[in-house]
Amino acid sequence: MTATDRSIELITAAAQAAADRLAHDIIAYDVSDVLSITDAFLVASAPNDRQVKSIVDEIEERLQKELGVKPVRREGDRDARWILLDYVDIVIHVQHSEERVFYALERLWKDCPEIALPEDAVRTRGKAEEHAQLNGGTEGEQS
């Protein structure tokens, strides 16, 4: 079984929205063969809590406006360190860069096929590392 065309459409729109809000390291996995509850995961990150929230808001607004869907569940808003949007067919994880490194979701899903994303989203790969180097380490470290 592979992700449905509708799931791919949702992932593509969400990835573009995340890229437009300068998310880092956007990647999507087809998890339909290993999970029965959803077809695909989208993972993105940002260097601060405000940007995490901004990315999530943009994804939610874009999917509502362009594709007429709302998440059935939104979790993690209070701290904005890891916000999850559950659209049933897809699940979107937007994480603070520190949470992204710590939880390493990619390690869990590395055996699942990657879903092709828009070029803007693909160009975000490596941006978290680039940002950390420019800012002298992780955001939480102060000199």
Side-chain angles (χ1 to χ4, degrees), residues 42-44 48-57 59-60 71 73-86 91-96 99 105:
L42 179 74
V43 182
N48 63 63
D49 303 351
R50 266 188 319 221
Q51 192 175 356
V52 167
K53 191 151 180 43
S54 175
I55 292 164
V56 169
D57 289 345
I59 290 169
E60 194 170 0
R73 189 172 74 218
R74 180 174 170 155
E75 295 181 4
D77 269 329
R78 193 172 60 114
D79 295 328
R81 301 286 293 181
W82 180 348
I83 299 177
L84 180 143
L85 294 173
D86 183 353
V91 175
I92 299 166
H93 302 269
V94 182
Q95 299 175 298
H96 186 288
E99 266 64 16
L105 293 179

Side-chain angles (χ1 to χ4, degrees), residues 24 27 33 96:
H24 295 167
I27 193 164
D33 282 340
H96 186 288

Side-chain angles (χ1 to χ4, degrees), residues 3-103:
T4 65
D5 290 342
R6 178 65 171 172
S7 296
I8 302 296
E9 180 182 34
L10 293 169
I11 285 286
T12 301
Q16 185 62 56
D20 291 348
R21 285 287 182 222
L22 306 178
H24 295 167
D25 300 313
I26 303 168
I27 193 164
Y29 295 100
D30 180 338
V31 296
S32 60
D33 282 340
V34 293
L35 292 176
S36 60
I37 57 172
T38 193
D39 280 351
F41 280 164
L42 179 74
V43 182
S45 55
N48 63 63
D49 303 351
R50 266 188 319 221
Q51 192 175 356
V52 167
K53 191 151 180 43
S54 175
I55 292 164
V56 169
D57 289 345
E58 181 67 20
I59 290 169
E60 194 170 0
E61 183 179 319
R62 183 100 42 108
L63 292 183
Q64 165 77 38
K65 189 176 183 181
E66 293 178 4
L67 301 171
V69 295
K70 290 182 179 182
V72 295
R73 189 172 74 218
R74 180 174 170 155
E75 295 181 4
D77 269 329
R78 193 172 60 114
D79 295 328
R81 301 286 293 181
W82 180 348
I83 299 177
L84 180 143
L85 294 173
D86 183 353
Y87 286 90
V88 180
D89 293 333
I90 69 168
V91 175
I92 299 166
H93 302 269
V94 182
Q95 299 175 298
H96 186 288
S97 298
E98 292 170 355
E99 266 64 16
R100 178 89 179 253
V101 169
F102 183 79
Y103 290 101

